Amino acid sequence: MQGVRSDRAVAVGVGVLVLRGGKVLLGRRRGSHGSGTWSAPGGRLEFGESIEECARRELREETSLELGPVTLGPFTNDLFAEVQEQYLTVFVVASQTVGEPVNTEPHKCEGWSWFHWSELPSPLFQPVQWLVASGYAPQDAPPNPSLHPTRYSGLRPLPRAGELKR
């Protein structure tokens, strides 16, 4: 395959779609790839960590929120050309959190705000942008009818535990 580099590993990111009152929590990134874009809390999956453990750790580190039950959500496959990195970002959906978001990492985030899924800010961080472009909307947030996919993103929702065939 042309353009494929076998000397690079693909990183796994975990994004947390925190929902409250029909809104999703987003922060404006600072000091990293995607700086200036709006993103869900999250970060890199560490070796030996489960997706849920990563979501809990990242959410606590970035916002001080404690995560309740989570649902496995969709994923995106993103190439960040400016830093020559590729991430498979797995999202979890969280409708139950404890506390109010606090910007605990101001060097990485300008601050946290709540947005209706149909009124998201711009520009969005690439993984969130692909979620929106695919037509995805969290269950308790209505889809944004003004946004349509511009190309196939490879987005596939993951089955929930009760939907797996044995």
Side-chain angles (χ1 to χ4, degrees):
M1 244 189 236
Q2 189 177 17
V4 174
R5 294 178 53 182
S6 62
D7 63 330
R8 302 292 310 260
V10 175
V12 177
V14 175
V16 185
L17 298 174
V18 179
L19 306 175
R20 203 181 271 179
K23 295 181 178 182
V24 63
L25 182 66
L26 299 177
R28 185 170 280 204
R29 294 174 63 91
R30 175 184 281 173
S32 182
H33 63 282
S35 186
T37 62
W38 290 89
S39 182
R44 186 178 276 216
L45 183 70
E46 293 182 359
F47 183 79
E49 194 174 42
S50 74
I51 291 171
E52 184 174 338
E53 289 167 340
C54 179
R56 289 181 187 287
R57 175 182 54 78
E58 289 288 351
L59 189 65
R60 187 180 318 108
E61 286 175 2
E62 295 178 7
T63 70
S64 290
L65 290 173
E66 292 297 328
L67 196 54
V70 297
T71 302
L72 197 55
F75 67 89
T76 61
N77 181 10
D78 302 285
L79 181 63
F80 297 96
E82 71 273 15
V83 291
Q84 291 294 296
E85 291 184 350
Q86 181 176 357
Y87 279 82
L88 177 69
T89 302
V90 180
F91 287 90
V92 298
V93 181
S95 297
Q96 298 176 31
T97 54
V98 177
E100 291 300 321
V102 175
N103 188 12
T104 58
E105 297 180 326
H107 59 289
K108 293 182 180 180
C109 178
E110 291 181 20
W112 298 104
S113 299
W114 296 98
F115 298 93
H116 287 284
W117 193 258
S118 61
E119 300 170 354
L120 295 175
S122 182
L124 293 171
F125 188 49
Q126 188 173 328
V128 178
Q129 182 179 351
W130 281 118
L131 284 184
V132 172
S134 75
Y136 174 81
Q139 281 190 324
D140 72 344
N144 188 333
S146 66
L147 297 172
H148 301 283
T150 55
R151 75 175 174 98
Y152 179 69
S153 68
L155 179 68
R156 291 283 189 271
L158 298 175
R160 295 181 186 1
E163 296 172 340
L164 293 174
K165 294 182 181 179
R166 296 181 198 248

